[in-house]
Amino acid sequence: RGDVGWAGGFAGPDFFITHRRVPGFGEAHTVWGSLDGPESFETLDRLVKLPAAAPMGGGMRMLSTPLEFVASIPKPDAGEATIAQ
């Protein structure tokens, strides 16, 4: 729960956050991080409640509208890098 990654999509790469354990996710897609801490999991639980398109293969859901977000990624010995989307 809480793996973060990219996967090739039909219109370009898609960004994923798993809400439950997905066997083989890390083998089929690039996982580059995990959620950390209760606040992150509370946010994930709120994301799951947002309107989504019909379920896709493997139980994946695509949000109906794009969602803006900011992610902080710790960099060893260099503070944090911030990614805005």
Side-chain angles (χ1 to χ4, degrees):
R1 181 171 183 235
D3 289 333
V4 180
W6 289 98
F10 295 108
D14 292 318
F15 173 77
F16 290 92
I17 304 173
T18 61
H19 189 253
R20 60 178 171 76
R21 178 139 176 82
V22 180
F25 182 78
E27 296 167 13
H29 307 292
T30 301
V31 175
W32 48 267
S34 297
L35 298 182
D36 184 34
E39 184 177 311
S40 294
F41 288 107
E42 288 171 12
T43 300
L44 177 60
D45 291 338
R46 288 195 305 269
L47 284 172
V48 169
K49 295 176 184 175
L50 293 175
M56 303 169 67
M60 292 185 284
R61 298 173 48 220
M62 179 93 52
L63 294 179
S64 296
T65 56
L67 177 70
E68 291 189 30
F69 66 92
V70 175
S72 294
I73 303 169
K75 291 171 57 177
D77 303 321
E80 289 189 358
T82 300
I83 299 173
Q85 176 66 32

